Amino acid sequence: MTSRGAGTAFSRRNYRLSTESEKPKLTGIVNSKLLNDYLHRIFPSADGIQPATAYRKPLTFQNLQEHLDKLLAEDSGAEDSRDQVLEGRLGPSTVVLDHTSGFEGLLLVDDDLLGVIGHSNFGSIRATTCVYKGKWIYEVLISSQGLMQIGWCTLNCRFNQEEGVGDTPDSYAYDGNRVRKWNVTTTNYGKSWAAGDIVSCLIDLDEGTIAFCLNGVSLGTAFDNITRGAGMAYFPAISLSFKESVAFNFGSRPLRYPVEGYRPLQDPPSVDLVKAHKLLGYLKNVIHIGIDVLEGKLVEKDTSTWQLQGEPTVLITLTHIFNHFAPLMCKVYLVDDVLMHFLLSILERGGAVEAHPLIQQLLDLMWLLMEDYEVHECLKQLLMSLLRAYRFSPIIPDLGLQIHYLRLTIAVLKHEKSRKYLLNNVLFDVLRSVVFFYIKSPLRVEEAGLQELIPTTWWPNRFTKEGKENKEVKEESAEERLRRRAYDRGCQRLKKRIEVVEELQVQILKLLLNNKDRGGGEASRYIFLNKFRRFLQENASNRGNLTVLCPPEYMVCFLHRLISTLRCYWDGHKAKAPAALSSEEAYVPPQLFYNGKVDYFDLQRLGGLLSHLKKTLKDDLALKANILIDPAELQAVTMDDLDEDEESATSTAQRPVAALAIGGALARPSWLSSPTLGRANRFLSTAAVSLMNPRRPLGTLEKMKARTLSVEQRTEDDKGSHGNEGLLLGRPPEEPEQSITENSLLEILDGIVMMYNLSVHQQLGKMVGVSDDVNEYALALKDTEEKISRCPKRRRDIYEELVKSQKVFSEKLNHLSRRLAWINVTIYSKEKMQDIYWLLRVCIRTIEHGDRTGSLFAFMPEFYLSVAMNSYSALKNYFSPVHSMEELPGYEETLTRLAAILAKHFADSRIVGTDIRDSLMQALASYVCYPHSLRAVERIPEEQRISMMRNLLAPYEQRPWAQTNWILVRLWRGCGFGYRYTRLPHLLKTKPEDANLPSLQKPCPSTLLQQHMADLLRSDCDMAPSFLNSVLNQLNWAFSEFVGMIQEIQQAAERLERNFVDSRQLKVCATCFDLSVSLLRVLEMTVTLAPEIFLDWSRPSSELLLRRLAQLLNQVLNRVTAERNLFDRVVNLRLPGLESVDHYPILVAVTGILVRLLMDTDFQGAKRATAVLLADPCFQLRSIQYLLGHAEPSALAAMPPSADKRHFSLHTYTDYISLEELAKVERMLNHLSEESKQAAASTLPTSEEDLCPICYAHPISAIFRPCSHKSCKACINQHLMNNKDCFFCKATITVANARGLRRKEGMNETAEERI
C-alpha cells in the first residue's frame, strides 16, 4: 500500500471504482461543509458534544488523523492502569502450557502451546502461570472423551505414569470419563463428557473451593477447604491417557462460558478491544451513512445493499479507519470477539447468504486496504474461530448455532480471493476443513433437546431371545401403533433440521469444488484436489499411528457430503455435454491405475508392488496402452525402492528415540486437540535432553507426493493442453472412447472410494452398536415385564425389585431410542444408504472395466475390490431393519454383477495379495449363505458358474482350504442327512432357554451349483481323485488335531489342582471339530452327487478312495461312540467355547455318508462299499448300533446300577431327522449285521508273516522295486499319491508288483505296475 494517513493517495489494487451511468460523473472530494458534516457523523465524539462547539475549525482529511488518534486514546489511560493489577497471579501474562519443565510422560503439544495429546500411559502437564488469591477460571475444550483428569495442582505435586492430577494430596481433578472427582481418594461427581464439550475449571482461593462446569452448566462444588496459605499456589493441570486430546483456553480467546466474579488467567487485551469496537462502530457508520452529492446532504443507506460506488470521500475515510483497524485484526482475541460477531450479526436478519452482499464488500475492502500479511492472518484466525465455534457449540433442537456458523463460513468462502487463499494456506493445512462437515452425535439427549423434539419414544418388540426378528409375533397393538407413529413424526422433524445443516455443508463443498473462478490463477477445484490427495495420503500412510488419522466419524460425514457435491457437478457437466455419462453410470477408467497421473502412494495393487508390475508388464503397457517405460526409469525405481526401504527401516527404528530426544516437529492433524492449531507440534518427553532445540526440517512424514498439473492445464473443461497428455493417458483398446466426465471429477471419485476404504466402513459398523443396545434393553424390559406379571402377590420384595429394574430399563430405552433416532438420521438414513449403494455400483463398474484390460487389471489398487465387498456388507447388515437393500433401484442386477465379480476373481491369478484373496473367498462364502444372494450367484452366466465350481474343487493343499470347504458346505446345507437345522439340536435339548446359543443361517442349498459340481467330478477323471484325496488328507489332519487337543483338555480337567484351560486352545479345538464336520459333509455331498467316483472301480483310484474313506469313517466312529471314552468325558464337561462339540453334528454326517454308500446306491455299489467297510480292521458293528441307542451288553454290565446315563440315539432327534432317514439307518444296521456275520464265517486265519507290516490289517499284496520291501496294495497306493519314497529305506520306488505275493516263493513279476 502506498500510503495510509493524512494523504489522499491510496492503492487501487484489485478494486475498480465505478459510478452509475445515469448520474453525472463526479470526481474529487465533496465540498468542505458536507465533508465536515460527514466526518463528524462517522467519527462522533464520545462525550456527545455537538461538533460546532467541539471543533473551531472544520474537520477535513488533513486533520482527521489527529482527530481519530484523540478519539482512540480517550479510554486507553484507564484501561492501561487497570491492566497493571495482577494481584493473586504469578507468572507470564500470556498463559500457555509449560513445555520446558512442567510435564511428565510423553506428550504432543501444539505450536501455540495450548493443545495437547497424550502419547503415553498417563502423561501430565501444567500451565506456566499459577494463582494464590482471588477467583479464577479457565476452559478446556474436550476433543476426545476418554480417560482424563482435569483440574489444579501445586508446584510440589509429583506425577508419574500411574498417578496424575488428583492422585496427590495438593491436586484436584474432575474426570468426566468415569464421572468422578479426584483428590487422593475418589467419589462420584458431575456428568459424563463427550467430544465437543467444554469444561470450565473454577477456583475460589478466598473461600477455598474448586468447582467445575460442563458446557456452562455448573456441576456444583467439587472440593472445599483446599490447602491455602504461604507457598500454596495452584496451576491449571491435566493428566490424560494415550491418544486423548484437549485444547486449553486460559483467556487468549473469549471464554465461551464466562462466570460472573471469576477472572480468566490471561487478561483480555482490553485497550485493543476498546479500540477495535470503536473502529468497528466507525465502519458501521460508513456503511449506514451515505453522501447525496446532488442534494448536498447526508442520507441513511440500506446496509444490506451497501456498495462502494466510486466515492473517493468514502474510500479515503475507510483508509483512515483500516489504518488502525487492520493491525488489530491480526490478533486472535479481537477477530473472535469483534470481527466474527460483527459478520454474524449481518447474517442474523435471515434469508439466503446471497441476500447479504455486504460481507463480500467488506472482504473486498480488507483485500484493498490491508496489507497482504494482515488480511492473511485475519482470514486464518477468522476461519479458526468459526471452526472452533462450530465444533464446540452445544447441540440445540434446531441446530441454530451450527447453522449460524456454517452460513458465515459460506459467506466468507463465496469471496473468490479469500477462498483461494484459505484453500492454499489454511484449509487442510493449518486446520481441518473436514470438521465443518461433521455433525456430532449428542451423548446426553436431554441437553440436546431431543426430549422436546421426540417426546414419544418407541423401540421394536419383534425380536426373539436370540436377537433375530420374529416373524410370528402378533400384530402390534393400537397403543404401540400410536407410539411408533409419534416416534416417526419426531424422527422426521429431526431429519428436516439436520438436512438444513447438511445442505449448508454441501454448499461449502460446492464452493471449494468450483472450477469457474473469474479471477486468474488456479481454480478452487484444483487447489482442493491437491489438498484432498495429500489428506488421503496422510490417512493412508499412517494407519498404524492413530494420532495422525482423521477421526472416522468425521470421515463418514465428509464422504456423504462429497458424494452429494460430486454428483451435482457430474450431472451438471452431463447437462452441458450430453455425450458424457451421468452420475448413475459413473466409474473410474482403468488407465488411471497405470498411467502415473494419480498417485496411489504405497497402497497395494492387485498384482503386487507397482515397481514389480512395471517391470513384468512393461510389454503389455506398450502394446495395449502405448505407454513406454524407459529401462533407466525401471532401474531408478528399483534403487528408489531400496532407498525407501532403508530409510523406512531406519526411521522406524530411530524415529521414536530421535523425536523424544530432540522434541522435533512431528506432523499431526489438529482435530485431536484444538481445531485451530497447526500440524507441527512439540513432542515432549521427560527423557528429553534438549527440548528447546530448533525444530528440524520436514521429515519423510511431511513430504507428500501430490499430483500437480500446470496452471495452463487447469482449464474449465479440464482437458490437457497437449491432447493425449492428460489424466486419461493410455486408454486401452477395450475401453470405449466415450467421454465420461471432467477429469477432475474422476480424480475426486477415486479419492472417495479410497476414503471409504480407509475408515468409513469401520465406523458404519461401530455405530450399529447403539441399535444392538436398544434390542438388548428391549428384550430385558420385555422379560422383566413378563416376570412382573408372573410374580406372586405375597412376594412384595421381589415385585419391588422387578419394578425398579423395569424403570431403569425404560429410562435407558427412552435415552437410547432418541439417540438412535439421531444416528439413523445422520448415518443410516435412506439418503446415506443410497450414497453407499451408488459407491458400490461405481466400484462394480470400475472392476468390470478393469477386468476387460486383461493383464493390466493387476494395476488396480486392492481397495476397489475391498470397497465393493464392504459396501455390500454395510448395505446388508448395517442399514437394516430401518431400510432394506431390496428397496434400492436395480438391486437384483447389482447383486448379480457383484456375484460375477466374486465368482471370477476369488481364484484370479492376476490377484496375488493373500489378504485380498481371503477377503474375496470370505465374501463369496457369505454370499452363498443367504437365499437372495445365492440366487444372484445362480443368475451369472453358466460358463462363469462352472469356472467357479472348478476353482472350488481344486486340490486343497494348493491354497487356503477351510474357506473353500465352508462354501461347498453351504451349498449342501439342507440336503444332507439330518442337516436342516438352524440351531444346533443338541444345545436346544440341554439349554432350551439360553438366549446366547449360537444360531445358524437358515439352509438354502443350490441344486444348480450342486449339479455343476457333479458334472465336473464325473467328467474330469483327474479332478475327482486329486480333490477327494486332499479332502481326506485334511479330514485326517483336522480330526487327529481335535483328538489330541481334547486329550490335553481332559488331562487338565482331571488334575486335583484348579486349572483353567486356555480359551484360545478351546477355540482352536472347537474349530478343528467344526472343520471335521464340514469336511465330512463335503464328502457326503460328493458321495450323493457322484457316487460312481467311489463305487465305479473301472475309474482310476476309485477303490483306493473308497478304502481311505472307510478307514476314516471307522476311525471317527470308534473315537466318538466308545462308551465312557475321551470324547464323552470332554462333552460332559460343558466347557464354554466347546458348545458346538457334541455327538450329533459329527455322527449324523458320518451316518449320511454310510447311508448313501450302502442304502441309496445300486446293488453292485452297495456290495463293494459293504465289503470295503467290513474289510477295514477298525470296523466295529457296535459303532453302528450306537447310532440307534443300542449299547453293547458288556458296557451295560460294567456300568453301576445307579448310573443314570442317557445314551445317544438318532431316535431322539425326530425334529431334525425324518422317519424315512431313520428307517434307512435301521435297514443299514440290519444289513451290516448280516454281512459281518457272513464275513466272519468265511474269513480264513492269516499268519503274521503274511500281514502288511504297515497296517497289520491286510495281507501282503505288493512288492517295491528296487528295494524289495513289501506291503498291502492299499498302503502303497495311498502312500504313492503323496510321496515316492519307500516307507522303510527311503529309496525312490520305481515299480510296485501287485500280484502273486500270496505265494511266498516263486513270485510272479509279470504284472508290474510302473509308477
Side-chain angles (χ1 to χ4, degrees), residues 1118-1139:
N1118 292 342
R1119 288 286 189 177
V1120 176
T1121 61
E1123 292 291 342
R1124 299 185 304 281
N1125 65 355
L1126 179 65
F1127 187 85
D1128 268 340
R1129 292 196 294 270
V1130 171
V1131 168
N1132 292 331
L1133 289 175
R1134 297 297 175 192
L1135 295 174
L1138 292 184
E1139 291 87 357

Side-chain angles (χ1 to χ4, degrees), residues 151-159 164-173 182-184 203 210 225-228 231-235 237:
W152 305 83
C153 74
T154 64
L155 191 62
N156 295 326
C157 293
R158 294 292 178 264
F159 304 130
V165 180
D167 297 325
T168 58
D170 292 329
S171 63
Y172 306 87
W182 297 81
N183 176 235
V184 182
I203 187 168
I210 290 176
N225 297 322
I226 64 174
T227 307
R228 291 171 291 166
M232 296 301 296
Y234 289 90
F235 293 83

Side-chain angles (χ1 to χ4, degrees), residues 352-354 406-407 409-411 413-414 419 437 499-514 561 564-565 569:
V353 176
E354 293 80 2
L406 288 175
R407 280 165 52 83
T409 305
I410 291 172
L413 293 177
K414 275 185 173 294
R419 178 174 70 247
F437 310 111
E499 282 176 347
V500 174
V501 177
E502 292 177 346
E503 178 56 35
L504 292 173
Q505 293 171 332
V506 170
Q507 287 184 36
I508 292 177
L509 267 178
K510 286 181 179 178
L511 291 171
L512 299 181
L513 291 181
N514 181 21
R561 309 305 173 266
S564 299
T565 308
Y569 274 114

